[in-house]
Amino acid sequence: MTTAPTGIAKATWWLLASLYTTQSVALMFFMGAFVAILLEQGASMERVSLVYAVGMVWPFKLLWAPFIDRFRLGWLGHYRGWLILMQSGLVITLVALAGLDVVRDFEAIYAGCLLIALLSATQDIAVDGLACRVLPPARRGLGNGLQIAGGLMGNLVGAGAVLVAYRYVGWHGSMMILAAVTAVSLVQLVFYREPRWPAVQARTRDFVLRLWTFWRQPGWPRWLLLVLFYTVSSSLAYALVIPLLMARGWSLDRVGWVVNVFGSVLGCAAAMGSGWALYRLGRRRALVWAAVLQVLGVLAIALLLREELSDGIAMAAVGVYFLGYNPAAVVLATLMMDHVSRDSPATDYTVQYSLNQFFALGMITAGAALAVPMGYGGVLALAAAVAVLAAGLAGIYREPLHMAAGGDA
């Protein structure tokens, strides 16, 4: 098997990139394109809100993450076995949904949405566990660059490209496209040979208790604050991006192209560049610089408050936001990997990421709600203040003991 210059097989890098992309393609379609389709059909906002609520499955995936670490699926392998099972489930569900009618069969389609959210969330636990095991500390930055870029590409394909294709191929064709894209990772998994790790002797109860005992490690209060607050400023600002562009008279199509396509492309570039820069700069310096970039991203969105701003500058401001946010996401995800244990990597990573995700989603909601009493300017001022707080927390960050000693998680 050929090996990349990083010392990891090329097939492993391609598999991680593929899995991090296909895990979100279908989910992003339903939370983006499907919503637009429903609105075009005259659906109520109550029905639309039900679809958006599907995304809340992901933050709760920490509840079953211990079982992914604990149980190996026979000859299929450990994380590979779970990934094959989840990826197959996604493909089968999408093929089944292809035979339904988008208006008449909403209840059945919604049940499929929930199943896709559950399958993709479980797939994410498994791929994170695999990545934590196969990536040495020096390569985790690149690995998490792939993770963030993959999520953006999933949004670009699922919520963007497939929505465009829907106009020409209809519901059945769109589901089959999503199934075909998702199946790419399944084919890769069939030919992938997962390293065989020593069996863990701990009981299932010990894995479940890890959800609590993880936070009892040395220095946990400081790390918990960073997990909660490091990306909050970007979440608050994101809540205002679309409303501010709509207030400028932009159409939904134009907003979609700028935010979902242009923003996603720049975000992918920033994520991959951040993975490389993290390797060059080191953890602490990258953490501080990424926090500073977040401040610039929030200030860029503040430019949209100016009425006389040209459309070109407004588009550039959105671009700066995505360039400023994604490095922080990559660095934080990499540090989460640094904090995992060898025996329960999927659980340890998920308990951190789910908490961050739950808090971030809450801040997007809070940002939208606070826009009424505080105004857009007030919310962005709050976001800028939190961004400065994140930079301060980054400055006092200390690596886990095993990382500081040069060991592997």
Side-chain angles (χ1 to χ4, degrees):
M1 183 179 291
T2 57
T3 301
T6 54
I8 300 171
K10 289 181 180 179
T12 300
W13 286 117
W14 282 112
L15 177 63
L16 291 175
S18 173
L19 287 168
Y20 278 127
T21 300
T22 60
Q23 70 179 203
S24 59
V25 165
L27 187 61
M28 290 300 99
F29 172 85
F30 284 106
M31 295 188 65
F34 184 47
V35 167
I37 293 168
L38 288 175
L39 290 173
E40 187 178 64
Q41 298 288 341
S44 66
M45 287 306 295
E46 288 79 7
R47 179 163 286 190
V48 169
S49 66
L50 281 175
V51 178
Y52 280 136
V54 168
M56 290 306 295
V57 170
W58 270 56
F60 289 100
K61 64 188 177 183
L62 63 89
L63 298 177
W64 60 92
F67 301 98
I68 308 301
D69 273 324
R70 175 65 179 88
F71 296 107
R72 174 188 174 91
L73 301 184
W75 61 270
L76 290 176
H78 193 156
Y79 300 112
R80 175 178 177 267
W82 284 104
L83 288 167
I84 288 176
L85 188 62
M86 295 304 111
Q87 212 74 22
S88 300
L90 286 168
V91 173
I92 293 170
T93 302
L94 288 166
V95 171
L97 289 175
L100 302 178
D101 183 88
V102 68
V103 177
R104 185 178 63 249
D105 300 318
F106 173 79
E107 289 76 12
I109 292 175
Y110 185 70
C113 290
L114 287 172
L115 181 57
I116 284 172
L118 179 62
L119 292 168
S120 63
T122 308
Q123 188 259 37
D124 186 56
I125 297 170
V127 70
D128 288 338
L130 178 65
C132 288
R133 282 286 183 92
V134 301
L135 297 178
R139 305 306 173 196
R140 289 174 182 165
L142 181 56
N144 283 287
L146 287 175
Q147 177 185 176
I148 302 303
L152 291 166
M153 286 303 299
N155 180 64
L156 178 62
V157 174
V162 180
L163 177 59
V164 174
Y166 175 79
R167 303 295 183 188
Y168 305 97
V169 301
W171 178 260
H172 180 272
S174 297
M175 292 299 100
M176 296 308 292
I177 291 173
L178 291 172
V181 171
T182 305
V184 171
S185 296
L186 182 58
V187 173
Q188 290 175 282
L189 285 165
V190 169
F191 293 99
Y192 177 67
R193 292 296 171 260
E194 180 183 34
R196 192 171 183 87
W197 297 287
V200 178
Q201 301 302 318
R203 298 169 299 173
T204 302
R205 176 176 176 272
D206 297 326
F207 281 94
V208 175
L209 287 176
R210 185 65 180 168
L211 297 174
W212 167 252
T213 59
F214 172 85
W215 295 109
R216 297 172 62 184
Q217 300 178 84
W220 72 265
R222 186 181 299 172
W223 176 237
L224 176 60
L225 287 174
L226 204 59
V227 168
L228 291 177
F229 288 101
Y230 190 64
T231 57
V232 162
S233 61
S234 295
S235 298
L236 285 169
Y238 184 78
L240 305 184
V241 173
I242 293 178
L244 283 169
L245 292 176
M246 295 293 290
R248 301 183 67 82
W250 286 27
S251 66
L252 278 174
D253 287 346
R254 190 176 188 184
V255 170
W257 276 105
V258 170
V259 176
N260 292 330
V261 179
F262 175 67
S264 294
V265 169
L266 288 182
C268 286
M272 295 307 300
S274 301
W276 176 85
L278 199 153
Y279 175 66
R280 299 294 178 182
L281 293 174
R283 278 9 182 203
R284 258 191 95 191
R285 289 175 65 190
L287 190 67
V288 173
W289 275 109
V292 172
L293 289 176
Q294 272 197 122
V295 178
L296 297 178
V298 172
L299 294 178
I301 296 302
L303 289 175
L304 299 179
L305 295 170
R306 299 178 57 184
E307 294 182 4
E308 67 276 11
L309 198 69
S310 69
D311 286 349
I313 298 298
M315 183 174 175
V318 174
V320 171
Y321 166 79
F322 278 95
L323 288 172
Y325 162 65
N326 285 284
V330 171
V331 173
L332 186 62
T334 302
L335 295 180
M336 288 178 185
M337 280 192 179
D338 291 345
H339 284 77
V340 307
S341 68
R342 187 181 300 276
D343 292 339
S344 56
T347 302
D348 290 0
Y349 187 86
T350 301
V351 74
Q352 299 171 83
Y353 191 79
S354 293
L355 190 60
N356 170 264
Q357 192 175 41
F358 190 84
F359 203 63
L361 289 171
M363 288 302 103
I364 293 176
T365 302
L370 290 172
V372 176
M374 297 178 63
Y376 291 157
V379 174
L380 288 170
L382 176 61
V386 177
V388 173
L389 171 64
L393 290 171
I396 62 174
Y397 171 74
R398 295 292 182 271
E399 291 181 341
L401 292 177
H402 63 266
M403 290 295 299
D408 191 353

